[in-house]
Amino acid sequence: MKLAHWLLAGFFAAASVCAQNVNAQNIQMRYSTLYGKLKQNVKQGHDDVRIAFYLLNQKDGEVCTVHKGWMQKEEHYEELVIPADYELAVPIDSNLRQANPDVTFVIDDGITCDVSMQVIANKQYGQSVSQSDVASLVPQMDNLLSDLGGMFSSWFMPEVGGVVVHFADGVTKPLQISSGKKINVENRKAIIKLAELSQGDVVTFPAEALKVTPWIPH
């Protein structure tokens, strides 16, 4: 299995789509489909990073806006909290795995979204990250990606070399390293390479980061 990028797109080909009304549509899947990967989040060795799921627009790869989400099994219903970055956040629970409820997310109508998996940092870093933060995240992200890829993944996938910081639309100013260097923001993303940071460096962001994901050299 070759994992050439931190994004594993199209993982859930079985996710079904049904119309809710003229302006929205429902994306439906079973809880067990998500739990099969999310259970990696409770394993030791990568406490500061986790697997997260998103809906990505098939047309442009952008994260699809999720208006609402819930789990339902017969008369049992639980509404889900939708975070600002539209992560498909569900609780990790073996009892839920046994019950295997339907999980539904409401998105805009007229678009096609694929469920995709990402490895992201647990912490919200706000407007800065230190060299020591990046140095701690990199091996944990590498370990989690290796766990996902299985025993042969190390043969094919290069090691994580840094992090990608994701911003909201409209953020274009560069990141400022305390040493005086700058890191450009392109398409709302900035790559922080661990090898280019010195001990004690702090990288300041022009706005709050939405999420931090692995950077894998191509």
Side-chain angles (χ1 to χ4, degrees):
M1 178 185 294
K2 184 175 182 180
L3 303 180
H5 198 265
W6 54 266
L7 179 65
L8 305 181
F11 186 79
F12 295 112
S16 62
V17 180
C18 64
Q20 185 186 45
N21 56 49
V22 294
N23 297 315
Q25 59 179 318
N26 291 352
I27 302 292
Q28 294 182 330
M29 62 199 76
R30 301 305 294 274
Y31 177 83
S32 58
T33 308
L34 296 167
Y35 180 84
K37 292 298 182 183
L38 290 176
K39 65 182 181 181
Q40 294 284 346
N41 289 343
V42 299
K43 292 184 177 180
Q44 295 182 345
H46 38 71
D47 296 339
D48 298 322
V49 301
R50 72 179 189 277
I51 297 165
F53 291 100
Y54 295 87
L55 289 167
L56 298 189
N57 193 319
Q58 200 175 81
K59 183 178 180 180
D60 56 18
E62 296 296 326
V63 176
C64 299
T65 299
V66 179
H67 300 288
K68 187 178 181 180
W70 67 87
M71 297 186 297
Q72 188 166 8
K73 179 73 172 184
E74 298 174 349
E75 72 276 11
H76 300 286
Y77 175 94
E78 181 179 346
E79 189 156 346
L80 299 171
V81 175
I82 306 300
D85 65 348
Y86 303 119
E87 178 186 348
L88 307 184
V90 298
I92 306 172
D93 190 297
S94 57
N95 292 324
L96 279 173
R97 169 63 183 86
Q98 293 297 320
N100 200 19
D102 293 320
V103 183
T104 304
F105 297 99
V106 181
I107 64 171
D108 295 326
D109 197 18
I111 59 175
T112 301
C113 297
D114 295 325
V115 182
S116 296
M117 181 172 65
Q118 298 176 9
V119 170
I120 70 172
N122 286 328
K123 183 178 176 181
Q124 297 293 325
Y125 286 93
Q127 288 190 240
S128 68
V129 67
S130 67
Q131 184 271 346
S132 60
D133 289 330
V134 178
S136 177
L137 288 173
V138 162
Q140 294 185 64
M141 289 175 167
D142 202 59
N143 287 340
L144 184 49
L145 284 169
S146 295
D147 289 345
L148 290 170
M151 63 181 295
F152 298 111
S153 65
S154 61
W155 294 10
F156 306 108
M157 188 177 68
E159 293 184 353
V160 176
V163 298
V164 181
V165 184
H166 300 249
F167 298 100
D169 195 17
V171 177
T172 57
K173 292 182 180 180
L175 281 60
Q176 183 71 51
I177 305 177
S178 54
S179 62
K181 298 179 181 179
K182 296 182 179 181
I183 301 173
N184 290 331
V185 175
E186 298 181 3
N187 297 320
R188 303 194 302 277
K189 300 173 186 176
I191 298 172
I192 302 176
K193 301 177 182 179
L194 179 58
E196 296 180 357
L197 296 179
S198 299
Q199 188 172 1
D201 275 348
V202 175
V203 184
T204 303
F205 309 152
E208 288 198 7
L210 291 178
K211 61 185 175 184
V212 176
T213 62
W215 174 70
I216 299 175
H218 295 293

